[in-house]
Amino acid sequence: MVAKNEYQPEEVIEQPGNQSRGYLIAALALAAFAIIMFADVLFKTNPQILSYLGSDLSKEFIDWRCFGFEQLRHGNLALWNPHVYCGIPFFGGFQSALLYPLNFLFMILPPARAFNVSIVLHIILTGLFMFLWARHRGLKPQACFFSAVLLMFCGPYFMHICVGHVSNLCAMAWVPLVFLCIDGIFDKRSLNWVITGIAAVSMLILAGHPQYVFYTAVTAAVYCMLLLVNHPYRIRVLSLLGIMCVWAGLLVSVQLLTGLQESAYSIRGDEGLGFNFAAFFSFPPENLLTLIAPNFFGSISDNSYWGRCYLWEMSLFFSVTGFVLAIYGQVYGSGSQRRYCMTLIIVLFILAMGAHTPLLKFLYNFVPGFDKFRGNSKFIFPMTVFAVMLSGIGLHRLITLNSKPCLRWIIGIGFAGICLFAVAGAIVGSVSEYRADGWWHDFMKFVQSAAAEFHESYCESSLYDNSRFVFFAAYRASISLVIAAVTLVLLSCLFALKRRWHYAVYAVILLAMSELIMFAFPLRPTFDSAAIKMPQQFQKNIPSKGDFRILNMFDKNAAMIDGMFDVWGDDPGILRRYAYFMDFAENLDHDAVTKSFSHRFFSLLRLRYVIVQENNQPRLLTLSNPVLPRLTLVRDFQVMKDRDDILNLLASPEFDPNQTVILESQPEPLPQRSCTSCNQDTVKIIDESTDHLTIEADINSPAILLVTDAYHPNWKITALAGSSQSKYELLPADYVLRAVPLDKGVHRFRMEYRPTVFIAGMWISTVSLAAYFLLCLQRLYSLCKKRKNTELH
């Protein structure tokens, strides 16, 4: 028999009316706290951008946002990005996030201010949605505020600011709202929660980070299965959950379908990732210590981290106070409020450990999705969401007037603090500034060897035997433990004080906020956007227009802002064909062998200028080798289907790319190899955008038009009025370029990148959005009518 309040807890349906003002004040305080935390960045006249110079924001997101939303401002939804990798899908690479509504800030504000406002806005949304979820579970305003603040400034979320993970920050903000809607559906079985859930899931998908969509979906599936076990209305709940997920998918199908199709052509396509690569960035067990000592393994604020992987995905910290109250909430919280929180925490932590457990191999082989992504440690964030819920539940129970912490609890917290003092002293006592030995050094070597086994060490190996480095690593770890110990002792005192003075609970909240400020404040670096612009001397030496490309090794995506065209870039969606091609051409590892830039592979790609990095400074190289034009007519061809055969022939000194093109199927019409009046042939581009080329040609005999832009099967050709040829075929040429067989005569055609699924998805999204708005209006009308009837009676 299911308990009466298990799915309709009294805290949810019987909120005291006099608490409404308290909830409003707490929510406003939440937003005010975040704004004050970033006031020095938000309100500068000439703002700098949050995150480190060299972070993903400076290397990728600023280029993506400036390019994508500048095009959108001019009425062009850029499906293709011609500026990197000789051309690559843009809209289909989810992180472009062109349809994410909150990214429209980039059409209104300058880039620096738009990034800062977006980051702070999503921090506030993260807290607000966590606040609402905690309120739904019946927690008091102070406890809702507490849970929200813990999530906003926890390590698994806040540390992504440093490294400029903009799409991570945007996507994670919607996770608490998704689980709020799931709880709402289970509790009320109301269509209103489905409507909100559709919006939450849609925003999560559009935010631009497919991994968090997948990990949130896995978490939600586990959570729903647990809730369904004893639920009396399984069929109705499953139906509502199905409507929420399917409708959200239909609503964003233009992004979802296009992105899924494009991923099939990328290096993460149908074949998936190898297991060893998918196992990267699994959560290392020793990093459990970051729960109470966030800087135990060093800090990213001073580049002293020596643990495994990257700290921003290997930190569990959400304050020592929050951790203690999470345990308190699990022990003393009501079942309706806890609702499988600890079960989810355990399951998600096991999933986050990835390759450190045998479970990942099974999931990789048998569960779709686990072979497409690396970084199982990202399960740490949804785990933290449930952990801070437990923290709020613990504070809620502590606030309750008749709730007095027992003496054993108080003594246990104080004893734990004393133990940490002892451990900190033992660490410092085991090292010397003049020699690297002792058990602390052995521990560091253990971490190094474990990291080397999984290829997850990003600290110089020589440092682990450097006595000064070992000494200062021990010093930092002990300081972090001492701070945790002091916090535990203070908590013990405050818990004891709570037995006699109710308002001591507010000191507990202030203690947690102090911890979070100490942790988060150094993690707000900024950089000047001018620092990533191409140096003026390069702009003078590189023509603004020309039939050539550059290779910018110093800033790989800068061509998107500078308006140039690069043979390389920085994008996880690189096309599989192009990746194989460049890997064959030495994978662009030319830091020392600059003469390799003159290789014929780069002549095919029209490479003329190279910007290399020397002593952390850019240097411009101008190549003298001839390059192919963007459009050229070729009459000699060879047909080959094997990739290695094609690449080997291209590398052969006897192969002349100006005279011969390698195709993978027979062209139709066949080109005429001998031509007496070929010098009279003309071909030119008369119009172009990111997604199309309009080409005119007048040739005296059949030929193959070679277009030295990246090939993709979703580029199609349409004959225009006045063309002597009614149908055109686009073929892969020289493995990565494009070829169009042309008959004798005048040609006028439009080469356009427009995936079929984009058109289908656009119609599905439009119809679904219209139906969604109609449903919202109907529910709003019903609500107004219900209130009116209530007032009349």
Side-chain angles (χ1 to χ4, degrees):
M1 185 71 179
V2 179
K4 183 178 180 180
N5 68 341
E6 183 173 353
Y7 296 101
Q8 289 186 332
E10 68 270 10
E11 293 91 345
V12 176
I13 61 175
E14 294 181 7
Q15 295 287 354
N18 59 3
Q19 285 194 358
S20 297
R21 182 178 297 177
Y23 284 114
L24 179 60
I25 292 172
L28 292 175
L30 197 69
F33 183 39
I35 292 171
I36 291 170
M37 188 77 168
F38 291 95
D40 58 331
V41 176
L42 287 175
F43 302 116
K44 277 187 177 179
T45 306
N46 297 309
Q48 294 193 322
I49 303 178
L50 281 164
S51 80
Y52 286 116
L53 181 64
S55 67
D56 283 3
L57 195 157
S58 67
K59 293 190 302 181
E60 296 176 336
F61 285 102
I62 193 168
D63 306 295
W64 290 338
R65 296 293 181 265
C66 288
F67 166 72
F69 288 94
E70 181 63 24
Q71 290 291 324
L72 203 57
R73 190 181 292 112
H74 289 87
N76 177 40
L77 180 68
L79 304 181
W80 184 261
N81 175 10
H83 295 284
V84 295
Y85 297 121
C86 296
I88 187 175
F90 184 66
F91 176 78
F94 285 95
Q95 294 192 83
S96 62
L98 290 175
L99 298 184
Y100 183 54
L102 297 185
N103 275 348
F104 293 157
L105 284 168
F106 291 90
M107 296 180 65
I108 303 170
L109 300 175
R113 198 170 294 281
F115 275 114
N116 293 340
V117 171
S118 177
I119 289 171
V120 176
L121 175 61
H122 283 90
I123 290 174
I124 293 173
L125 287 176
T126 302
L128 180 61
F129 295 147
M130 189 68 219
F131 181 95
L132 294 173
W133 188 23
R135 184 190 179 193
H136 178 83
R137 290 205 174 186
L139 304 192
K140 294 181 180 295
Q142 303 93 319
C144 297
F145 173 85
F146 184 70
S147 287
V149 169
L150 293 184
L151 189 62
M152 290 163 67
F153 298 101
C154 70
Y157 184 74
F158 197 86
M159 292 181 78
H160 286 280
I161 295 174
C162 293
V163 285
H165 291 165
V166 178
S167 60
N168 301 48
L169 293 166
C170 295
M172 286 189 282
W174 299 95
V175 173
L177 183 59
V178 171
F179 289 106
L180 166 60
C181 294
I182 291 173
D183 271 1
I185 290 172
F186 273 93
D187 291 336
K188 300 292 187 180
R189 300 174 297 282
S190 166
L191 197 57
N192 292 339
W193 283 112
V194 174
I195 292 172
T196 308
I198 291 170
V201 175
S202 298
M203 296 293 270
L204 174 64
I205 295 171
L206 293 176
H209 204 288
Q211 279 179 276
Y212 279 107
V213 176
F214 174 69
Y215 296 138
T216 303
V218 172
T219 306
V222 174
Y223 185 52
C224 290
M225 284 191 291
L226 292 171
L227 292 177
L228 282 168
V229 171
N230 293 318
H231 201 284
Y233 304 102
R234 294 190 190 94
I235 302 299
R236 178 170 175 79
V237 166
L238 279 172
S239 300
L240 293 175
L241 289 171
I243 291 171
M244 181 182 79
C245 296
V246 172
W247 203 326
L250 294 173
L251 206 60
V252 299
S253 59
V254 62
Q255 177 72 78
L256 202 57
L257 294 177
T258 307
L260 290 175
Q261 185 190 58
E262 294 303 356
S263 69
Y265 298 114
S266 74
I267 54 174
R268 299 187 182 189
D270 295 333
E271 300 174 3
L273 304 175
F275 177 75
N276 290 336
F277 192 74
F280 273 0
F281 304 126
S282 299
F283 188 86
E286 67 272 12
N287 276 47
L288 266 170
L289 290 164
T290 59
L291 260 174
I292 57 172
N295 297 325
F296 187 88
F297 298 97
S299 172
I300 60 175
S301 61
D302 59 4
N303 201 29
S304 62
Y305 179 66
W306 53 270
R308 291 199 240 181
C309 307
Y310 296 122
L311 183 57
W312 50 86
E313 289 188 349
M314 307 300 155
S315 175
L316 297 174
F317 186 73
F318 58 98
S319 82
V320 175
T321 306
F323 175 57
V324 170
L325 283 172
I327 299 173
Y328 191 82
Q330 176 61 28
V331 174
Y332 296 105
S334 69
S336 61
Q337 290 177 331
R338 288 186 285 110
R339 192 179 286 190
Y340 298 113
C341 281
M342 185 54 67
T343 306
L344 264 294
I345 289 170
I346 294 171
V347 170
L348 293 174
F349 183 72
I350 293 171
L351 291 174
M353 289 180 67
H356 304 299
T357 72
L359 179 61
L360 181 62
K361 189 70 174 180
F362 171 82
L363 296 173
Y364 176 86
N365 289 325
F366 299 106
V367 180
F370 280 90
D371 62 335
K372 300 297 183 183
F373 303 111
R374 65 174 183 173
N376 288 277
S377 59
K378 288 182 175 65
F379 276 111
I380 287 301
F381 178 72
M383 186 197 85
T384 305
V385 171
F386 285 93
V388 300
M389 176 63 80
L390 276 182
S391 300
I393 294 167
L395 185 68
H396 172 85
R397 289 303 172 190
L398 197 62
I399 291 172
T400 306
L401 287 174
N402 60 357
S403 175
K404 294 183 178 181
C406 68
L407 287 175
R408 285 180 299 177
W409 179 262
I410 295 169
I411 294 170
I413 295 173
F415 180 74
I418 294 171
C419 290
L420 288 183
F421 274 120
V423 174
I427 291 174
V428 173
S430 70
V431 295
S432 168
E433 192 173 353
Y434 305 104
R435 68 180 188 275
D437 58 7
W439 69 267
W440 174 257
H441 177 246
D442 293 338
F443 174 70
M444 291 184 66
K445 293 292 287 183
F446 165 76
V447 173
Q448 180 198 19
S449 61
E453 179 184 354
F454 290 95
H455 306 287
E456 294 173 337
S457 178
Y458 300 99
C459 181
E460 291 183 23
S461 58
S462 60
L463 291 176
Y464 291 90
D465 291 315
N466 183 300
S467 60
R468 286 182 60 82
F469 182 80
V470 172
F471 176 79
F472 284 110
Y475 177 77
R476 291 188 190 96
S478 62
I479 289 295
S480 193
L481 287 176
V482 166
I483 293 172
V486 170
T487 305
L488 287 172
V489 171
L490 287 174
L491 269 176
S492 178
C493 296
L494 291 174
F495 271 71
L497 186 60
K498 170 63 174 66
R499 291 173 61 87
R500 295 181 175 273
W501 187 47
H502 174 69
Y503 291 100
V505 72
Y506 292 96
V508 173
I509 298 174
L510 289 175
L511 180 60
M513 292 176 68
S514 300
E515 285 189 79
L516 292 170
I517 290 172
M518 288 176 58
F519 168 74
F521 203 79
L523 301 176
R524 308 170 314 113
T526 59
F527 70 91
D528 188 346
S529 59
I532 64 172
K533 292 182 179 179
M534 182 179 289
Q536 291 186 354
Q537 66 269 27
F538 292 176
Q539 295 180 2
K540 293 178 182 178
N541 294 330
I542 299 178
S544 58
K545 293 183 179 180
D547 205 5
F548 63 86
R549 288 193 177 96
I550 67 169
L551 172 58
N552 190 342
M553 303 293 288
F554 190 76
D555 188 351
K556 297 178 182 177
N557 275 350
M560 297 171 64
I561 292 181
D562 298 328
M564 296 186 178
F565 302 91
D566 204 316
V567 301
W568 199 238
D570 192 353
D571 193 309
I574 179 174
L575 296 174
R576 191 162 56 246
R577 276 180 176 266
Y578 199 83
Y580 286 141
F581 181 90
M582 298 304 276
D583 183 63
F584 190 87
E586 301 178 42
N587 199 27
L588 280 184
D589 186 12
H590 305 299
D591 292 337
V593 193
T594 55
K595 64 180 181 180
S596 296
F597 292 128
S598 299
H599 195 280
R600 67 175 62 250
F601 275 72
F602 299 106
S603 299
L604 283 168
L605 305 181
R606 312 201 312 264
L607 178 61
R608 173 64 66 201
Y609 299 96
V610 179
I611 302 173
V612 296
Q613 182 172 332
E614 292 183 357
N615 300 321
N616 292 323
Q617 295 296 323
R619 183 167 74 90
L620 180 65
L621 303 176
T622 302
L623 305 183
S624 58
N625 57 295
V627 298
L628 290 176
R630 189 175 186 187
L631 303 179
T632 185
L633 293 167
V634 181
R635 287 180 165 80
D636 192 11
F637 71 95
Q638 293 190 40
V639 176
M640 290 184 174
K641 295 187 178 181
D642 183 77
R643 179 187 71 208
D644 293 337
D645 290 343
I646 296 172
L647 296 177
N648 285 323
L649 181 57
L650 288 174
S652 171
E654 291 78 24
F655 180 77
D656 183 0
N658 290 282
Q659 301 296 325
T660 306
V661 61
I662 303 175
L663 305 177
E664 297 173 26
S665 61
Q666 198 78 0
E668 182 62 37
L670 286 173
Q672 184 175 322
R673 297 179 185 268
S674 59
C675 176
T676 57
S677 55
C678 292
N679 56 351
Q680 298 178 6
D681 294 344
T682 60
V683 58
K684 61 182 178 180
I685 297 172
I686 61 172
D687 179 41
E688 68 175 309
S689 72
T690 58
D691 304 336
H692 84 273
L693 300 171
T694 302
I695 298 174
E696 280 188 353
D698 187 355
I699 60 176
N700 293 303
S701 65
I704 295 174
L705 173 63
L706 177 64
V707 183
T708 51
D709 294 338
Y711 170 81
H712 191 290
N714 282 329
W715 279 89
K716 308 296 182 184
I717 301 180
T718 304
L720 301 179
S723 182
S724 60
Q725 191 169 324
S726 60
K727 184 178 180 181
Y728 294 91
E729 185 179 11
L730 186 69
L731 305 175
D734 297 337
Y735 194 66
V736 291
L737 305 178
R738 309 174 198 167
V740 185
L742 300 179
D743 208 346
K744 175 183 178 180
V746 177
H747 301 271
R748 196 168 186 272
F749 57 86
R750 181 184 176 95
M751 184 182 295
E752 186 172 18
Y753 176 79
R754 190 161 293 265
T756 305
V757 294
F758 172 79
I759 304 297
M762 186 170 60
W763 280 105
I764 295 171
S765 291
T766 302
V767 173
S768 301
L769 184 62
Y772 181 75
F773 279 131
L774 288 175
L775 179 61
C776 291
L777 289 173
Q778 186 273 329
R779 300 303 295 178
L780 184 62
Y781 173 77
S782 297
L783 179 63
C784 293
K785 187 176 180 180
K786 184 177 179 180
R787 286 186 176 180
K788 186 176 180 180
N789 291 336
T790 303
E791 290 173 359
L792 290 174
H793 290 86

